[in-house]
Amino acid sequence: MELEALISALRDAPAFAHKGDIRPVMAGLAGLDSGHLPLGDDAAALADGDGFLLMAMEGFVNEFVAAEPFFAGYCGVMVNVSDIAAMGGRALAVTDALWSRGDDQSAAILAGLREAAGKYGVPLVGGHSNAHCDRPQLSVAILGRARALLTSFDARPGDTLLVACDLRGRYRAVGDNWDASSDAPGARLRDDLAILPGLAEDGLCQAGKDISMAGPVGTALMLLEASGVGAELSLDALPRPPGVPLERWLRTFPSYGFVLAVAPDRVAEVTRRFRRRQLAVADAGRVTSGGHLTLTLGDQRLPFWNHHETPYLGRPFPPSSPARHQGGHYA
């Protein structure tokens, strides 16, 4: 496929475009951080003793909850524990807000929440319910803790962009959701997530994000914008399941996927930690100065986005801010 057409399709993909919904919210909350709690990361990180408390929350599209109620409930836990891991943390507990027409409609959602909470070893400690709504609606919040942080604000020119994914999965019947979790044993899921806090605690990585509905390119762009840097990203190098078209994979939510900015002398060890758990990981690019994200495919090379000229989410604060490791983040 021609790179120009691929770029056009990616920019037009709803999941990529919908991340722009965050921009006016961040603008509306501007000033609340007072230079102390910057917005824009996978979870809020609140200094707490010798570490950080982490808080995050996910809400789900009503149509998705109605079409796949069990998997929506399952995702309520899965995507939140991924956000905590992406910050270098370990999950402590989740709560949920579940609205529905009644018990029959909510049963499958609750079953999914229960299944994932058991597999990931995260207690569901409470929440809020309403059984008199005209449609099912779900949001789930999580609390975690980190001894050392991974952030969206610490990618540096010269870093290697590593992309890690679990390719041992399948597409769900609805949408572009790659399910590498619901059929996997819980011990494997927990140990795979534990790689991320291990990297942070061992000083092997400081910057990264989990791959969201915006896919690997959109996630890389969010990381770059928050850090105030650019990058060149090779689409050929991205880990991808056999037989899956590149265009679809670029708009896929992969269940387990991370974009990390790693100093070159630490790439080998970070790569080894993913591969020893049979996870796919690849050197997919380099962080550069400036605001350009450039994509390559074969011998083609084209600019994808300049976040200095056109903010994607809106950079939350200058890269030189002294508050780099504290945050009430919104993403």
Side-chain angles (χ1 to χ4, degrees), residues 214-257:
V217 175
T219 300
L221 177 58
M222 289 186 282
L223 172 63
L224 301 173
E225 184 177 48
S227 292
V229 293
E232 184 164 298
L233 182 69
S234 168
L235 301 184
D236 295 299
L238 295 175
R240 177 164 46 113
V244 174
L246 178 58
E247 181 180 352
R248 186 177 193 189
W249 188 246
L250 292 181
R251 63 175 189 265
T252 291
F253 170 67
S255 295
Y256 181 102

Side-chain angles (χ1 to χ4, degrees), residues 17-101:
H18 287 174
K19 282 292 182 180
D21 293 349
I22 297 172
R23 187 166 55 249
V25 177
M26 291 181 66
L29 295 177
L32 290 182
D33 52 56
S34 302
H36 179 63
L37 298 175
L39 306 174
D41 219 328
D42 289 305
L46 309 175
D48 179 58
D50 61 351
F52 300 86
L53 286 175
L54 304 174
M55 298 175 66
M57 185 175 187
E58 296 283 349
F60 296 88
V61 175
N62 292 340
E63 291 78 8
F64 170 60
V65 179
E68 288 221 77
F70 176 88
F71 191 57
Y74 190 95
C75 286
V77 175
M78 180 182 72
V79 300
N80 269 304
V81 296
S82 183
D83 279 340
I84 296 299
M87 296 289 297
R90 295 174 174 85
L92 297 176
V94 294
T95 61
D96 71 284
L98 172 57
W99 289 27
S100 69
R101 291 194 300 267

Side-chain angles (χ1 to χ4, degrees), residues 118-137:
K119 281 196 173 188
Y120 286 101
V122 184
L124 179 59
V125 297
H128 175 78
S129 63
N130 182 327
H132 303 281
C133 188
D134 63 345
R135 72 197 73 184
Q137 300 182 85

Side-chain angles (χ1 to χ4, degrees), residues 137 196 230 242 260:
Q137 300 182 85
L196 282 303
L260 303 173

Side-chain angles (χ1 to χ4, degrees), residues 152-159 161 207 220-232 261 286-294 305-308 315 319 324:
S152 294
F153 309 122
D154 287 290
R156 294 288 183 267
D159 284 351
L161 283 180
L221 177 58
M222 289 186 282
L223 172 63
L224 301 173
E225 184 177 48
S227 292
V229 293
E232 184 164 298
R286 297 289 180 278
V287 178
T288 63
S289 58
H292 291 274
L293 172 57
T294 299
W305 203 282
N306 183 342
H307 60 75
H308 284 172
R315 192 165 62 207
R324 301 184 66 81

Side-chain angles (χ1 to χ4, degrees), residues 207-222:
K209 291 188 75 69
D210 70 329
I211 297 176
S212 69
M213 297 299 295
V217 175
T219 300
L221 177 58
M222 289 186 282

